[in-house]
Amino acid sequence: MTPVLEVRNLVTRFHTEEGVVHAVNGISYSVEAGETLAIVGESGSGKTVSALSIMGLLPDPPGRVEGGEALLAGRDLLGLSPAEWRKVRGREMAMIFQDPMTSLNPVLSIGYQLTEALKWHLKSTGSEAYARAEEMLTLVGIPNPRARLSDHPHQLSGGQRQRVMIAMALSCNPSVLIADEPTTDLDVTIQAQILDLVEGLQNTLGMAMIWITHDLALVAGLAHRVAVMYAGHIVEEAPVGEIYGRPKHPYTQGLLRSMPKLDGARKERLDSIQGQPPDLIRPFHHCPFAPRCPHVEETCRGKRPDLQPVSAGHAVACWRWEELAGDSKLGDAP
């Protein structure tokens, strides 16, 4: 199938007083209609910055996209003017942010905020837009949706606000949805409800989805493919079953070993990845994970490995993946 969205060699920098921050360093990925790609990694790995870059939402200054392409149905988004972006954002691509309370305007009603995009993109009349807004609130499971249209964000619970953000993102039927850790601040029961809701809506609408998270366990039953980011690089990409069952990169292996087991059989302390996240002001001429890797050797410190295919749909950026492959099986997904 032809990808709906294809990102090629994306490079993003932040120009600060301390120096140039190498936030995203030549990453590439694609996502097809009906597919979910999870982008995972620790805080500061470049997940959100890469999403903001391809959505045209990067604050400039200090941020700047300095290379690459983001092709949506063959058109490079990175070359769009602000006027062209206003036509694309919300209509063809939409994004759900982590904290709905800072994404929703506190002084405007839910109905006003839901209908604004409908009037702009679909040229709906006021009555048509409010009917569609009510329909979307019903679709995302908000009770008494007509009354909720008159409410303001502070009158809703955290889970309801996130459902409103999902309704807003999907109201114009975008072909690509980016979800940036949308369940992080919610309790586990509401998390599960939101995940089920988004997955059901994706199946109904057939959209491509990029799910950004630091929680590998969360995407086990949601994603089709997983891209693991570290220090602005994709260090491993594979189908979800391959990532959990046969991880090749030491960083991916470390993330999986740090997850608690649901069966309660393991009593020892959880593993942790030793060391500190890297300083992104300095460009990497070696493997970015080398200072923290338990399997590091001189080759790792001297040259940075490229992302290379190792099997069908599975790629890894590691000099020693073949040697380590025999010890990489960590069991089934949690």
Side-chain angles (χ1 to χ4, degrees):
M1 293 180 63
T2 302
V4 178
L5 176 68
E6 186 173 8
V7 176
R8 300 176 182 171
N9 299 314
L10 179 67
V11 175
T12 302
R13 303 283 184 256
F14 286 89
H15 295 263
T16 70
E17 293 181 358
E18 290 77 20
V20 178
V21 178
H22 297 73
V24 179
N25 300 296
I27 68 170
S28 300
Y29 59 82
S30 62
V31 59
E32 298 176 356
E35 182 184 35
T36 298
L37 171 68
I39 300 180
V40 303
E42 62 192 41
S43 297
S45 60
K47 308 183 302 295
T48 297
V49 171
S50 65
L52 294 176
S53 298
I54 64 174
M55 283 292 296
L57 295 173
L58 195 70
D60 182 8
R64 190 181 306 159
V65 177
E66 297 192 352
E69 297 175 304
L71 304 175
L72 179 65
R75 177 175 51 167
D76 187 8
L77 300 174
L78 303 184
L80 297 184
S81 66
E84 291 172 323
W85 259 121
R86 284 193 290 271
K87 296 178 182 178
V88 171
R89 197 185 298 119
R91 179 66 181 94
E92 299 178 52
M93 289 180 65
M95 189 166 178
I96 306 170
F97 297 93
Q98 180 174 338
D99 184 0
M101 201 59 192
T102 59
S103 302
L104 293 168
N105 192 317
V107 302
L108 298 177
S109 70
I110 297 300
Y112 182 93
Q113 296 183 67
L114 272 170
T115 57
E116 188 175 23
L118 293 166
K119 293 175 181 177
W120 171 261
H121 289 297
L122 304 183
K123 310 304 179 186
S124 303
T125 64
S127 59
E128 290 171 341
Y130 271 88
R132 173 65 171 167
E134 184 179 345
E135 176 188 346
M136 291 305 301
L137 290 185
T138 302
L139 189 63
V140 298
I142 297 227
N144 197 8
R146 182 169 297 181
R148 295 285 78 80
L149 291 173
S150 301
D151 286 347
H152 287 73
H154 72 274
Q155 295 175 274
L156 305 181
S157 68
Q160 287 176 325
R161 287 194 292 267
Q162 197 57 280
R163 288 170 187 266
V164 169
M165 288 299 300
I166 294 170
M168 190 179 300
L170 299 181
S171 62
C172 296
N173 296 327
S175 56
V176 179
L177 176 68
I178 300 175
D180 184 13
E181 305 204 49
T183 62
T184 297
D185 294 330
L186 305 177
D187 64 57
V188 291
T189 302
I190 303 301
Q191 262 193 15
Q193 293 175 1
I194 295 295
L195 288 172
D196 288 343
L197 169 64
V198 173
E199 190 172 19
L201 291 172
Q202 182 191 30
N203 291 335
T204 300
L205 301 173
M207 63 189 172
M209 184 162 66
I210 299 171
W211 193 281
I212 297 170
T213 182
H214 64 275
D215 186 352
L216 265 170
L218 183 144
V219 300
L222 177 70
H224 299 93
R225 290 186 299 119
V226 179
V228 181
M229 285 194 71
Y230 184 80
H233 301 80
I234 292 179
V235 297
E236 186 164 8
E237 183 180 356
V240 65
E242 283 281 304
I243 284 287
Y244 285 97
R246 288 169 287 277
K248 299 292 192 293
H249 197 281
Y251 178 63
T252 310
Q253 295 171 14
L255 289 178
L256 289 167
R257 291 193 182 100
S258 67
M259 292 164 46
K261 296 294 184 182
L262 297 182
D263 58 15
R266 191 169 71 179
K267 302 297 183 183
E268 68 269 19
R269 292 174 64 89
L270 293 175
D271 289 340
S272 61
I273 299 175
Q274 300 300 312
Q276 298 295 321
D279 180 3
L280 297 182
I281 288 181
R282 291 179 292 183
F284 292 99
H285 302 296
H286 55 76
C287 173
F289 191 58
R292 304 174 69 185
C293 182
H295 308 291
V296 65
E297 61 180 19
E298 285 307 309
T299 302
C300 311
R301 296 190 177 97
K303 185 178 179 181
R304 182 171 61 84
D306 294 325
L307 193 67
Q308 296 289 341
V310 297
S311 61
H314 196 155
V316 64
C318 177
W319 291 118
R320 302 191 62 194
W321 73 266
E322 288 183 284
E323 302 170 56
L324 306 175
D327 299 325
S328 67
K329 186 171 177 57
L330 298 176
D332 296 328

